[in-house]
Amino acid sequence: MAMTIDTALPVGRALRLRLDRDELIKRGLMVVIALYLVVALAAPLAIMLSKSFSTYSFDLARFEFQVSDKDGNWSKPTTAEALNKALNAVPPAKLGTNSDGRLQATSFFPDFSFRSPVKYKIRGTTTDAAYLVGLKLQSGTKWQELTSNDFRRVMLRPSRALGLENYVAYFSTPTLFRSIENSVFIAFISTIVTVGLAFGFAYALNRSCMRFKDAFKLVAMVPILVPSLLPGIALIYLFGNQGLLKDLLMGVPIYGPLGIVVGSVFFAFPHAMLIISTALAISDQRHYEAAASLRASSWRTFWTVTIPGARYGLISAAFVVFTLVITDFGLPKVIGGQYNVLAVDIYKQVIGQQNFEMGAVVSVILLVPAIAAFIVDRMVTKKQVALLSARSVPYQPNPNRGFDTLCFAWCSLVAIFILGIMVTSQFAALVKLWPYDLSLSLKHFAFDRMDGGGWGSYYNSIRLAALTAVIGTVIIFVGAYMVEKTDGFRSGRTAFQFLAMLPMAVPGMVLGLAYIFFFNDPANPLHAIYGTMTILVVCTITHFYTVGHLTALTALKQIDQEFEPVAASLKQPFYKLFARVTVPVCLPAILDISIYMFVNAMTTVSAVVFLYSKDTTLASVAVLNMDDAGDVAPAAAMAMMIFYTNAAARLIHMFLSKALIKRTQAWRMR
């Protein structure tokens, strides 16, 4: 009889891989940068969302008063609610207020006189009932005795509740609700026009043999270097009430939807053109050869080969333009007139009416189309498939005199439009008094004589841009490296990717208002940075984080995954590999991220318009303030100074890139 021997090993503890020192450091750095994004983005947005549901009103039942007579005898305690019912001093409609609301206690005492020897007592009926005595906040159920002179400085503070009343008030106000329709209409029209112009421009660059392609590409990139307020100023000089070409509009005012659409096309055009040009540049020559062999007409080839190949680029460009236009604040503020849009409504509610809760409501509403466009764009990007394979043949256009002439004419018209805006702005900055004295002068560059912060605003912008470029590039690239090169930790990497992509869906105005709610709270340990350059740097880095992150990821994915195992086998720490291999290889992408952060920090308005102080005014905000004050020519001059600075930064970036890349990228040429 055969015997069976049980060779099974005894059950023990499950094996668990132990993380080495490098992996612990990588995960730690990833968590640190993720915490930065939580504090700089997620937490402020959460606070702002809660504020949109917050309603404030004076609950008169929460306060009690006593009044003495001349002999010092005190009356029975009476609530403010009972006094108001007897006197109707404050109508019910006026009991609703905002978070900073104040109601004078003397409103319930019609015979009050601050010279009277009568004394008053006040207390809360609940522990959280708050009131001010002068500037000192008081609360609680303990009686406080005051003289008549002190009692006149007593202000009741409102109580907070959560509900949908703010949203009901918004949608029941026709003027505010109409802003949604206006914003969507402007964004829709601007998207159609911009994508159409950009497609024709990109098609001419990639599918024709016309001359001066590099010059046209250079001109097309100019709008990226200027704040969105500049086209509005230029259009006023061209088509405004005293405009040079106002008769061409035949009485149609440039102020309003027409001006916003034309200006939006100007500043959104390069973004659409770059995306569509990239889509058209990866076409396969064999598809067109197959269409020609089947004797398909040029028109049919265009619709069956070109458009399907570029469809994802067109869709992505459309949603990018839609998001840029619907969230822009500067242009409609300058040339919108009485045509309200959502971004300007936020500014009016916060700056004009100090109604922060309604500003939060408008911000949440503005988030909806922005997030929807972002989600659709991400879905479209994921559906893209590789159009070029190892066997693909890059498309090479054939000379066609008639077609090339048509493409040249199209690009020339677009270039004239862009350069016309820039030349007009430059001319406006130099003439003495438009349109009466057109002699040239530099007096509009004397910014210290104007409202807006003077030359200090310009220097602050350069400082902000430099800090954002350096600090932002380090944070973004290190974060991308950690999420790309960390082994395992899938849940953590997924959460980090979500936080890194979120800024692209958040409009600048919304982020700026969220920072007010979050950082302007004295209970917040980070309250000290409010009103300083630090908060401007944090806000700007966060606002433009996503594009830099995607750029870094694209560069890091091109590096062979074998570098890390080889370095580990040689017992080299990851930071040496990072410094000696990763950074030099990815240097072109790092430089691109830095110039992207610098240029956007110089031109941004919406993200910082709520956050600057008298010591940290910026050039882009100075343009807005000078335009508001009627100093339109100095505003144009400051906008052109931003352009000069960004153009110089681009040139420095170009020469620096060539010099550094020549030293670090020689291996690519072998």
Side-chain angles (χ1 to χ4, degrees), residues 342-514:
L342 287 170
V344 177
D345 272 355
I346 298 175
Y347 184 80
K348 289 180 178 178
Q349 292 294 330
V350 174
I351 301 299
Q353 302 180 29
Q354 296 290 300
N355 191 344
F356 290 88
E357 287 71 36
M358 191 58 72
V361 170
V362 184
S363 297
V364 172
I365 294 171
L366 184 58
L367 269 175
V368 173
I371 292 178
F374 170 75
I375 292 174
V376 174
D377 180 57
R378 291 291 96 194
M379 293 172 61
V380 168
T381 302
K382 288 182 179 180
K383 288 184 178 181
Q384 273 187 295
V385 294
L387 297 179
L388 289 179
S389 63
R391 298 180 180 179
S392 298
V393 179
Y395 180 83
Q396 294 293 334
N398 296 317
N400 184 319
R401 186 173 181 180
F403 179 69
D404 292 345
T405 302
L406 181 63
C407 289
F408 182 83
W410 181 272
C411 291
S412 296
L413 289 175
V414 174
I416 290 171
F417 166 65
I418 294 174
L419 293 177
I421 295 291
M422 297 303 300
V423 170
T424 301
S425 298
Q426 181 62 81
F427 189 59
L430 292 176
V431 297
K432 285 186 177 180
L433 184 61
W434 181 282
Y436 307 107
D437 185 355
L438 300 182
S439 58
L440 301 183
S441 171
L442 294 176
K443 72 171 188 175
H444 299 309
F445 288 86
F447 301 126
D448 290 331
R449 300 179 182 178
M450 317 290 176
D451 291 333
W455 279 101
S457 299
Y458 173 72
Y459 298 132
N460 283 339
S461 280
I462 294 179
R463 183 181 168 203
L464 169 66
L467 291 171
T468 301
V470 175
I471 299 173
T473 301
V474 172
I475 292 174
I476 291 169
F477 189 78
V478 171
Y481 179 85
M482 298 309 157
V483 78
E484 179 64 22
K485 300 300 180 179
T486 298
D487 295 328
F489 200 37
R490 185 173 181 179
S491 58
R493 292 165 65 192
T494 302
F496 188 97
Q497 284 284 56
F498 171 77
L499 289 171
M501 298 303 294
L502 188 58
M504 185 175 280
V506 180
M509 292 289 291
V510 176
L511 185 63
L513 182 58

Side-chain angles (χ1 to χ4, degrees), residues 71 105 275 423 498 526 584:
D71 298 325
I275 296 171
V423 170
F498 171 77
L526 299 174

Side-chain angles (χ1 to χ4, degrees), residues 298-317:
S298 299
W299 186 248
R300 186 173 182 182
T301 302
F302 176 79
W303 287 106
T304 57
V305 179
T306 304
I307 294 299
R311 65 184 183 276
Y312 291 119
L314 288 168
I315 295 172
S316 182

Side-chain angles (χ1 to χ4, degrees), residues 1-5:
M1 181 176 177
M3 295 179 62
T4 59
I5 300 175

Side-chain angles (χ1 to χ4, degrees), residues 585-600:
V585 170
C586 297
L587 191 58
I590 293 173
L591 293 174
D592 287 343
I593 295 170
S594 64
I595 192 62
Y596 172 81
M597 300 299 285
F598 184 95
V599 168
N600 281 283

